[in-house]
Amino acid sequence: MSNNKKNQASNATTIAGAIYYEDATELAALIRTKQLSSREVVHAYLDRIAAVNPKVNAIVTLMAEDVLKSSDAADKAVASGAALGPLHGVPFTIKDAIDTAGVLTQRGSKIFAGNIPTKDATAVTRFKDAGAIPLAKTNLPEFSAWQETDNLVTGLSRNPWNLDRTPGGSSGGESAAIAAGLSPIGIGSDVAISVRGPAALTGIVGLKATHGRIPYTGHWPEVLNRYWDIGPMARSVRDITTAFSILQGPDGVDGLAVHAKTAGPADGPVEGRPLRVGWLVEPGFGPVDREVAAAVAAAADLLKDAGCTVEAVRIPALEQNNYLDPAVVLYGAELGPYVRRFVGDRDAELHFIGKLYATAPPPPIADYLDAERKVDDLKSTFAAHFQQYEVLLCPVIPFTAPPPGLEEYIVNGEKVPSSHMMRATVPFNLTGLPGLSVPFSFSSEKLPINVQLVSKWFDEATILRLGQLIESATDAHKLHPIL
């Protein structure tokens, strides 16, 4: 039987009682109350990684010895009655674009083979300070610059729901690890799709917060920090809520992360008034698979039944523009020259995506300025939308997980380029709006379908609340792939 058929036959089964499929919140509670030791939890993940990672190739560097020592220290702290952080004793994984002191961080590129940072990224430090224990680094495309996860150093990652499909990118190793039970929670990053998209393709939860909420310090590449976001990934909305509370707030280093942890929207939801939700599928995001569109419509009905005021909306700017176009201009203008400083004459060692950025000519200044203008106009468009609605409900990705390496897809009979995968996510990177990718249902091929909740700037609380509501009313998050 092929991998495809094997996974489709078994991927709608729950795994009762498996430690490695508990969420981080539950694991922390079990450790805190001495029902499980941190060492037992860590061993469960190490065993799971040994058994499953060869199939999915999500983990690229394992910190086995250090994580066991740290788990023993965590158990001693529990026994002593010491104050414990919200993730005390819980292992976590880290995308390999994010620095980890003394641990291999190769950024998916031969250019950085053997690279070992001397300091942790701010996000890693904050997870550690919350009691979490670094377990492993996860796979990514070269320079975190693509929507799939493949490179010439650590290879291709596979989707645990169907090994013939991609888990997405650029945090695809992270999403595959969490979905496959190799990690309960992790840290990814998102510049166009890279947290929310992989979460959707593998059926987990991912948050891209308001830009500047979470410091970018210790992430490579250092450029494009106007658009990059560090973001948490997990199997439950409550885990994401906890992780966001840990990660947010200025660090005194990232000059764009200057917002207080308590910062809220300028005009937040009115107490006592139903939340107003506008929902959108087509034509705002081009062709969308019928099953994905149906999931968004069903999510709209669910929110309406829960008491929200829900209306179908149209946003002409999204219909008239594919915002990947200005993103390509802006991102290429900054990433290309930056990458060339490190690559030098080593073009032959680059994966095709790294080579694309390293060799592309800079855009004409007129194109760059036009792209900036389009982004400013889009911000104004969304500012107007969020005067009428607190939330925008829409797809994360216009289709379910495709095979890797395709240059184009067929969606509802229409041929689209592979970059169409980013059509419904990149507008929110360009504008800095927060977006939550939350599991909702499964396709007829037994592949996960997530929906995306977007709120006004600094109103993560609202989309996390609605994400929790969706999660509690559906079963998608309870199902796990069998590998």
Side-chain angles (χ1 to χ4, degrees):
M1 185 182 291
S2 70
N3 284 335
N4 183 25
K5 291 180 180 178
K6 284 181 182 178
N7 280 287
Q8 288 187 18
S10 60
N11 62 6
T13 305
T14 59
I15 303 177
I19 290 174
Y20 51 78
Y21 272 135
E22 296 287 0
D23 73 356
T25 302
E26 179 66 14
L27 291 174
L30 293 171
I31 292 168
R32 188 179 302 113
T33 56
K34 303 180 184 179
Q35 297 176 69
L36 277 177
S37 68
S38 177
R39 177 172 263 264
E40 287 175 310
V41 171
V42 166
H43 262 301
Y45 281 105
L46 291 176
D47 290 346
R48 180 70 172 171
I49 289 168
V52 171
N53 194 57
K55 301 176 185 177
V56 295
N57 190 36
I59 303 297
V60 295
T61 299
L62 186 61
M63 309 175 204
E65 185 175 340
D66 289 341
V67 74
L68 287 170
K69 290 179 181 177
S70 295
S71 69
D72 289 340
D75 289 332
K76 288 179 181 177
V78 173
S80 71
L84 307 177
L87 294 178
H88 184 83
V90 177
F92 72 102
T93 41
I94 308 140
K95 180 181 180 180
D96 205 32
I98 299 170
D99 285 350
T100 41
V103 176
L104 202 60
T105 303
Q106 301 186 103
R107 303 163 181 166
S109 178
K110 288 185 176 182
I111 305 302
F112 295 104
N115 174 61
I116 298 178
T118 58
K119 293 179 62 178
D120 283 329
T122 295
V124 174
T125 297
R126 289 182 174 177
F127 257 49
K128 285 183 176 181
D129 289 346
I133 302 171
L135 172 66
K137 304 298 290 290
T138 54
N139 206 20
L140 72 172
E142 188 163 50
F143 308 148
S144 298
W146 195 234
Q147 67 204 25
E148 295 179 2
T149 296
D150 190 13
N151 62 70
L152 299 180
V153 181
T154 46
L156 177 72
S157 291
R158 299 185 178 276
N159 193 316
W161 289 97
N162 183 324
L163 298 176
D164 296 329
R165 305 297 178 96
T166 178
S170 60
S171 305
E174 193 61 47
S175 69
I178 294 169
L182 313 186
S183 167
I185 192 168
I187 305 172
S189 60
D190 190 321
V191 73
I193 189 174
S194 301
V195 162
R196 292 156 296 153
L201 295 180
T202 58
I204 66 168
V205 189
L207 173 68
K208 187 203 85 65
T210 302
H211 187 266
R213 278 288 215 187
I214 298 172
Y216 184 69
T217 308
H219 185 285
W220 199 95
E222 295 171 338
V223 294
L224 295 179
N225 58 337
R226 291 178 296 147
Y227 305 112
W228 271 110
D229 292 273
I230 300 285
M233 305 175 76
R235 284 191 293 271
S236 69
V237 176
R238 67 176 181 171
D239 279 0
I240 294 295
T241 302
T242 296
F244 177 54
S245 71
I246 292 166
L247 294 172
Q248 67 173 311
D251 67 350
V253 180
D254 181 351
L256 298 178
V258 296
H259 310 294
K261 288 175 72 76
T262 55
D267 48 352
V270 176
E271 187 174 354
R273 187 180 73 185
L275 285 174
R276 299 167 299 173
V277 178
W279 70 278
L280 170 65
V281 178
E282 291 177 336
F285 298 113
V288 176
D289 176 82
R290 292 300 91 202
E291 291 183 299
V292 173
V296 176
D301 289 341
L302 188 160
L303 295 178
K304 185 176 182 179
D305 291 344
C308 297
T309 299
V310 181
E311 299 175 348
V313 299
R314 294 186 68 168
I315 300 178
L318 294 176
E319 299 174 21
Q320 297 160 9
N321 298 279
N322 180 348
Y323 283 94
L324 185 64
D325 295 335
V328 167
V329 172
L330 295 170
Y331 295 1
E334 292 190 37
L335 187 58
Y338 183 77
V339 163
R340 283 194 288 273
R341 288 165 42 193
F342 295 88
V343 173
D345 60 359
R346 299 171 64 185
D347 287 3
E349 299 177 55
L350 296 174
H351 189 258
F352 86 90
I353 189 62
K355 190 172 295 185
L356 179 66
Y357 281 98
T359 60
I365 187 64
D367 291 353
Y368 186 89
L369 294 175
D370 183 61
E372 290 276 28
R373 180 190 57 78
K374 286 181 178 177
V375 170
D376 288 342
D377 289 347
L378 184 61
K379 289 178 182 177
S380 296
T381 293
F382 282 128
H385 172 85
F386 287 116
Q387 287 295 305
Q388 294 183 269
Y389 303 94
E390 279 81 34
V391 173
L392 175 65
L393 167 68
C394 62
V396 186
I397 293 178
F399 40 81
T400 54
L406 300 182
E407 294 185 0
E408 58 188 23
Y409 311 125
I410 304 297
V411 182
N412 296 341
E414 184 174 340
K415 187 180 295 185
V416 295
S418 62
S419 58
H420 186 65
M421 187 185 288
M422 298 179 269
R423 182 74 182 264
T425 52
V426 75
F428 310 115
N429 295 88
L430 293 174
T431 56
L433 287 161
L436 180 70
S437 176
V438 60
F440 186 79
S441 61
F442 284 81
S443 73
S444 56
E445 291 187 292
K446 304 297 189 297
L447 293 169
I449 299 175
N450 281 24
V451 296
Q452 183 171 208
L453 296 165
V454 182
S455 66
K456 59 187 66 178
W457 296 273
F458 300 103
D459 196 16
E460 289 85 359
T462 293
I463 54 176
L464 288 167
R465 179 154 55 94
L466 290 187
Q468 182 72 63
L469 190 158
I470 289 172
E471 184 178 85
S472 65
T474 58
D475 291 330
H477 67 288
K478 298 176 182 177
L479 305 179
H480 309 294
I482 307 298
L483 291 159

